[in-house]
mmCIF file of all heavy atoms in Angstrom:
data_model
loop_
_atom_site.group_PDB
_atom_site.id
_atom_site.type_symbol
_atom_site.label_atom_id
_atom_site.label_comp_id
_atom_site.label_asym_id
_atom_site.label_seq_id
_atom_site.Cartn_x
_atom_site.Cartn_y
_atom_site.Cartn_z
ATOM 1 N N ASN E 1020 3.002 -1.179 -1.531
ATOM 2 C CA ASN E 1020 3.370 -1.803 -2.803
ATOM 3 C C ASN E 1020 4.690 -1.201 -3.264
ATOM 4 O O ASN E 1020 5.169 -0.232 -2.678
ATOM 5 C CB ASN E 1020 2.287 -1.574 -3.868
ATOM 6 C CG ASN E 1020 1.054 -2.429 -3.634
ATOM 7 O OD1 ASN E 1020 1.160 -3.590 -3.263
ATOM 8 N ND2 ASN E 1020 -0.109 -1.843 -3.841
ATOM 9 N N LEU E 1021 5.250 -1.743 -4.331
ATOM 10 C CA LEU E 1021 6.507 -1.193 -4.852
ATOM 11 C C LEU E 1021 6.360 0.273 -5.232
ATOM 12 O O LEU E 1021 7.205 1.087 -4.894
ATOM 13 C CB LEU E 1021 6.978 -1.965 -6.092
ATOM 14 C CG LEU E 1021 7.452 -3.394 -5.895
ATOM 15 C CD1 LEU E 1021 7.793 -4.011 -7.242
ATOM 16 C CD2 LEU E 1021 8.647 -3.440 -4.968
ATOM 17 N N PHE E 1022 5.330 0.597 -5.982
ATOM 18 C CA PHE E 1022 5.135 1.951 -6.501
ATOM 19 C C PHE E 1022 6.440 2.478 -7.101
ATOM 20 O O PHE E 1022 6.877 3.583 -6.811
ATOM 21 C CB PHE E 1022 4.613 2.913 -5.434
ATOM 22 C CG PHE E 1022 3.232 2.589 -4.935
ATOM 23 C CD1 PHE E 1022 3.028 2.193 -3.621
ATOM 24 C CD2 PHE E 1022 2.139 2.666 -5.781
ATOM 25 C CE1 PHE E 1022 1.762 1.889 -3.161
ATOM 26 C CE2 PHE E 1022 0.856 2.355 -5.332
ATOM 27 C CZ PHE E 1022 0.673 1.966 -4.011
ATOM 28 N N LYS E 1023 7.061 1.637 -7.923
ATOM 29 C CA LYS E 1023 8.339 1.996 -8.552
ATOM 30 C C LYS E 1023 8.209 3.303 -9.329
ATOM 31 O O LYS E 1023 9.065 4.167 -9.258
ATOM 32 C CB LYS E 1023 8.777 0.857 -9.475
ATOM 33 C CG LYS E 1023 10.145 1.016 -10.055
ATOM 34 C CD LYS E 1023 10.528 -0.230 -10.847
ATOM 35 C CE LYS E 1023 11.849 -0.039 -11.538
ATOM 36 N NZ LYS E 1023 12.211 -1.201 -12.340
ATOM 37 N N ASP E 1024 7.123 3.437 -10.056
ATOM 38 C CA ASP E 1024 6.821 4.658 -10.794
ATOM 39 C C ASP E 1024 5.761 5.428 -10.000
ATOM 40 O O ASP E 1024 4.682 4.892 -9.728
ATOM 41 C CB ASP E 1024 6.288 4.293 -12.182
ATOM 42 C CG ASP E 1024 5.953 5.492 -13.040
ATOM 43 O OD1 ASP E 1024 5.868 6.618 -12.518
ATOM 44 O OD2 ASP E 1024 5.767 5.293 -14.249
ATOM 45 N N PRO E 1025 6.035 6.676 -9.621
ATOM 46 C CA PRO E 1025 5.051 7.449 -8.850
ATOM 47 C C PRO E 1025 3.678 7.532 -9.520
ATOM 48 O O PRO E 1025 2.678 7.718 -8.838
ATOM 49 C CB PRO E 1025 5.689 8.835 -8.735
ATOM 50 C CG PRO E 1025 7.151 8.578 -8.841
ATOM 51 C CD PRO E 1025 7.286 7.422 -9.806
ATOM 52 N N ALA E 1026 3.615 7.374 -10.840
ATOM 53 C CA ALA E 1026 2.321 7.401 -11.532
ATOM 54 C C ALA E 1026 1.393 6.297 -11.020
ATOM 55 O O ALA E 1026 0.169 6.446 -11.055
ATOM 56 C CB ALA E 1026 2.524 7.255 -13.041
ATOM 57 N N HIS E 1027 1.952 5.203 -10.513
ATOM 58 C CA HIS E 1027 1.136 4.104 -9.990
ATOM 59 C C HIS E 1027 0.397 4.499 -8.713
ATOM 60 O O HIS E 1027 -0.536 3.815 -8.311
ATOM 61 C CB HIS E 1027 1.998 2.869 -9.732
ATOM 62 C CG HIS E 1027 2.627 2.329 -10.973
ATOM 63 N ND1 HIS E 1027 3.798 1.617 -10.958
ATOM 64 C CD2 HIS E 1027 2.264 2.401 -12.272
ATOM 65 C CE1 HIS E 1027 4.124 1.284 -12.190
ATOM 66 N NE2 HIS E 1027 3.204 1.751 -13.004
ATOM 67 N N MET E 1028 0.834 5.594 -8.086
ATOM 68 C CA MET E 1028 0.163 6.067 -6.868
ATOM 69 C C MET E 1028 -1.052 6.930 -7.174
ATOM 70 O O MET E 1028 -1.885 7.169 -6.296
ATOM 71 C CB MET E 1028 1.142 6.862 -6.002
ATOM 72 C CG MET E 1028 2.288 6.044 -5.458
ATOM 73 S SD MET E 1028 3.349 6.974 -4.346
ATOM 74 C CE MET E 1028 4.215 8.042 -5.489
ATOM 75 N N LYS E 1029 -1.173 7.415 -8.405
ATOM 76 C CA LYS E 1029 -2.220 8.384 -8.751
ATOM 77 C C LYS E 1029 -3.635 7.950 -8.375
ATOM 78 O O LYS E 1029 -4.383 8.746 -7.812
ATOM 79 C CB LYS E 1029 -2.142 8.758 -10.227
ATOM 80 C CG LYS E 1029 -1.039 9.726 -10.533
ATOM 81 C CD LYS E 1029 -1.062 10.142 -11.988
ATOM 82 C CE LYS E 1029 0.078 11.129 -12.251
ATOM 83 N NZ LYS E 1029 0.081 11.557 -13.651
ATOM 84 N N PRO E 1030 -4.042 6.706 -8.657
ATOM 85 C CA PRO E 1030 -5.424 6.348 -8.278
ATOM 86 C C PRO E 1030 -5.642 6.363 -6.764
ATOM 87 O O PRO E 1030 -6.722 6.691 -6.290
ATOM 88 C CB PRO E 1030 -5.630 4.953 -8.855
ATOM 89 C CG PRO E 1030 -4.340 4.514 -9.431
ATOM 90 C CD PRO E 1030 -3.390 5.653 -9.417
ATOM 91 N N TYR E 1031 -4.594 6.032 -6.006
ATOM 92 C CA TYR E 1031 -4.699 6.068 -4.541
ATOM 93 C C TYR E 1031 -4.779 7.511 -4.049
ATOM 94 O O TYR E 1031 -5.567 7.834 -3.165
ATOM 95 C CB TYR E 1031 -3.509 5.350 -3.902
ATOM 96 C CG TYR E 1031 -3.497 3.872 -4.168
ATOM 97 C CD1 TYR E 1031 -2.784 3.344 -5.241
ATOM 98 C CD2 TYR E 1031 -4.214 2.982 -3.359
ATOM 99 C CE1 TYR E 1031 -2.776 1.985 -5.504
ATOM 100 C CE2 TYR E 1031 -4.205 1.618 -3.614
ATOM 101 C CZ TYR E 1031 -3.490 1.131 -4.690
ATOM 102 O OH TYR E 1031 -3.489 -0.219 -4.934
ATOM 103 N N LEU E 1032 -3.955 8.375 -4.627
ATOM 104 C CA LEU E 1032 -3.970 9.790 -4.257
ATOM 105 C C LEU E 1032 -5.322 10.405 -4.587
ATOM 106 O O LEU E 1032 -5.901 11.133 -3.772
ATOM 107 C CB LEU E 1032 -2.848 10.541 -4.980
ATOM 108 C CG LEU E 1032 -1.428 10.158 -4.570
ATOM 109 C CD1 LEU E 1032 -0.414 10.738 -5.554
ATOM 110 C CD2 LEU E 1032 -1.128 10.626 -3.156
ATOM 111 N N ALA E 1033 -5.837 10.102 -5.771
ATOM 112 C CA ALA E 1033 -7.135 10.647 -6.178
ATOM 113 C C ALA E 1033 -8.246 10.160 -5.247
ATOM 114 O O ALA E 1033 -9.111 10.951 -4.833
ATOM 115 C CB ALA E 1033 -7.437 10.251 -7.625
ATOM 116 N N ALA E 1034 -8.230 8.879 -4.912
ATOM 117 C CA ALA E 1034 -9.256 8.327 -4.012
ATOM 118 C C ALA E 1034 -9.174 8.977 -2.636
ATOM 119 O O ALA E 1034 -10.204 9.283 -2.020
ATOM 120 C CB ALA E 1034 -9.088 6.814 -3.894
ATOM 121 N N ALA E 1035 -7.958 9.200 -2.147
ATOM 122 C CA ALA E 1035 -7.784 9.829 -0.836
ATOM 123 C C ALA E 1035 -8.319 11.257 -0.844
ATOM 124 O O ALA E 1035 -9.096 11.649 0.041
ATOM 125 C CB ALA E 1035 -6.304 9.824 -0.443
ATOM 126 N N ILE E 1036 -7.926 12.023 -1.833
ATOM 127 C CA ILE E 1036 -8.330 13.426 -1.897
ATOM 128 C C ILE E 1036 -9.840 13.538 -2.081
ATOM 129 O O ILE E 1036 -10.494 14.355 -1.434
ATOM 130 C CB ILE E 1036 -7.548 14.149 -3.013
ATOM 131 C CG1 ILE E 1036 -6.077 14.259 -2.578
ATOM 132 C CG2 ILE E 1036 -8.135 15.516 -3.311
ATOM 133 C CD1 ILE E 1036 -5.120 14.591 -3.698
#
Side-chain angles (χ1 to χ4, degrees):
N1020 286 320
L1021 291 177
F1022 295 114
K1023 187 175 175 182
D1024 181 346
H1027 297 153
M1028 295 184 287
K1029 283 184 180 180
Y1031 293 94
L1032 293 168
I1036 291 164

